[in-house]
Amino acid sequence: QVQLVESGGGLVQAGGSLRLSCAASGRTFSTWTIAWFRQAPGKEREFVAAIKWGGENPYYYADSVKGRFTISRDSAKNTVYLQMNTLKAEDTAVYYCAASPYVADPLRRFNYAYWGQGTQVTVSS
């Protein structure tokens, strides 16, 4: 059974930084894509960033976070991180980790079979 556990959310002032972690367990992830999505109150869940476990240049970012957020992985720990810098009030949301094997389009949330419980990020202005 695949499990995804997010951590690292919290309250931060605008311009600050946070690092989210997604610890994955239950199987090997050599061909899987792991992504971060977020959902603000009253809004649809939206893509933030994704990383494919293997291959070169496996990174994908939403335009709204390019240059501010960085997704990375620690293969030994089966953990994916989301470093969030220069945070803005509009980044406030619940952030979810998602994973699935052989994802053709990493940006589409319906392509992901497994989801974590979410972690709240609140950016005060």
Side-chain angles (χ1 to χ4, degrees):
Q1 179 71 18
V2 174
Q3 285 191 317
L4 304 174
V5 179
E6 303 101 330
S7 61
L11 173 64
V12 64
Q13 289 188 336
S17 299
L18 281 175
R19 189 178 80 157
L20 305 183
S21 299
C22 173
S25 63
R27 63 167 299 141
T28 57
F29 295 90
S30 59
T31 60
W32 286 47
T33 297
I34 297 185
W36 289 96
F37 287 77
R38 65 186 181 187
Q39 188 166 18
K43 294 189 176 181
E44 293 284 322
R45 191 169 298 189
E46 65 174 6
F47 171 79
V48 176
I51 185 169
K52 289 188 174 182
W53 210 255
E56 297 182 357
N57 298 320
Y59 309 104
Y60 303 82
Y61 294 97
D63 288 342
S64 59
V65 306
K66 279 181 183 175
R68 299 189 299 123
F69 291 11
T70 303
I71 191 169
S72 62
R73 65 184 183 230
D74 184 331
S75 299
K77 296 182 179 180
N78 255 9
T79 299
V80 170
Y81 303 99
L82 185 68
Q83 178 67 44
M84 306 186 295
N85 298 328
T86 319
L87 282 160
K88 305 175 182 179
E90 50 264 44
D91 294 317
T92 295
V94 177
Y95 283 70
Y96 296 91
C97 179
S100 216
Y102 305 108
V103 174
D105 183 352
L107 278 64
R108 290 177 55 87
R109 62 187 174 105
F110 298 109
N111 285 337
Y112 293 90
Y114 301 96
W115 292 82
Q117 81 288 352
T119 185
Q120 176 70 47
V121 171
T122 303
V123 184
S124 62
S125 56

